[in-house]
Amino acid sequence: MNGKFLYIALVLVAVISAMTGALVWRAVEDRGSGEQPALLVLPEPREIPPFELVDQEGDAYGPDRLRGQWSMLFFGFTHCPDICPGTLFDLQQLQARLEKEGHSLATQVVFVSVDPERDTPDRLKNYVTYFSPEFIGVTGSHEQLLPLTRKLGIAYRISVHEDGAAEYTVDHSASVLLMDPQGRLYGVFPAPLDITAMAAELDRLES
């Protein structure tokens, strides 16, 4: 695709509505209907289509690397002025909290860039490791990203710009996705994040 075009990865309203309506508000049952749930859990984990992206080391990143541990996926871009750095900082704080409290649940944080024109593997590496050396940064072409984002209910839009432009805007979903050890979508941590509540939800998965 050419940088002059508008890239849109929007899930149809009916699909988003169906996904939202199908989510189990388990946290509401436990804490009372007056509180925002920290984790929206799907009634059944959602399988995702095969995909092949590239990580910050230039290596292939596919579904196999989501298996064997719980994973938190966040979609954004490195030129993001606020949401992305704020979310990655929160996830770094969450990881530090889990480690300090001795949680045995293994989780990986994966930052998926939807701006492959600017976010090269080297840039991704510098960006994610600023927050944590354990964070993983991945990206791919829009043709590779779109099937994955659609299935996961992630939306993003890149503004029209000239080829090679250094400055342009990217709109994207702000939620963090929780993937189970089989590489399936298990639930969604909606924005804004509450790391105390997130830690409690992850603690439940250990029990």
Side-chain angles (χ1 to χ4, degrees):
M1 293 187 182
N2 191 294
K4 295 180 181 179
F5 292 98
L6 185 66
Y7 296 111
I8 302 178
L10 293 176
V11 180
L12 294 175
V13 173
V15 175
I16 294 178
S17 299
M19 178 180 176
T20 304
L23 293 173
V24 177
W25 293 67
R26 183 183 68 191
V28 171
E29 297 176 358
D30 295 333
R31 302 191 199 94
S33 59
E35 296 186 22
Q36 167 73 20
L39 176 64
L40 305 178
V41 182
L42 275 68
E44 295 292 337
R46 176 176 297 180
E47 299 285 350
I48 60 175
F51 65 90
E52 184 173 335
L53 303 177
V54 62
D55 69 13
Q56 75 268 31
E57 302 294 343
D59 298 326
Y61 191 96
D64 58 305
R65 292 181 61 181
L66 289 175
R67 301 188 186 111
Q69 70 281 302
W70 291 86
S71 304
M72 289 179 285
L73 272 60
F74 177 66
F75 290 74
F77 65 115
T78 66
H79 286 76
C80 182
D82 42 33
I83 294 175
C84 296
T87 300
L88 291 178
F89 175 78
D90 286 343
L91 293 177
Q92 185 275 330
Q93 293 294 298
L94 175 62
Q95 293 285 64
R97 180 180 185 135
L98 294 174
E99 183 177 348
K100 181 178 180 180
E101 294 178 355
H103 286 256
S104 60
L105 188 71
T107 60
Q108 67 172 337
V109 173
V110 184
F111 176 71
V112 185
S113 170
V114 295
D115 184 17
E117 186 175 346
R118 291 181 294 186
D119 289 347
T120 63
D122 283 343
R123 182 173 178 84
L124 274 174
K125 183 175 183 177
N126 290 333
Y127 188 75
V128 297
T129 56
Y130 172 82
F131 297 96
S132 170
E134 297 180 357
F135 284 6
I136 299 170
V138 302
T139 192
S141 68
H142 294 288
E143 289 84 356
Q144 293 169 314
L145 289 165
L146 288 177
L148 178 62
T149 55
R150 287 189 180 120
K151 188 66 175 181
L152 292 174
I154 293 295
Y156 73 93
R157 181 182 66 85
I158 297 181
S159 64
V160 177
H161 60 277
E162 296 294 328
D163 287 340
E167 300 296 332
Y168 52 85
T169 61
V170 180
D171 299 319
H172 60 90
S173 300
S175 298
V176 172
L177 308 184
L178 182 63
M179 313 296 291
D180 71 13
Q182 287 72 50
R184 304 170 300 182
L185 177 61
Y186 178 85
V188 178
F189 290 111
L193 302 181
D194 180 335
I195 64 172
T196 298
M198 292 174 72
E201 292 290 354
L202 294 174
D203 185 58
R204 295 182 188 201
L205 297 177
E206 286 186 298
S207 58

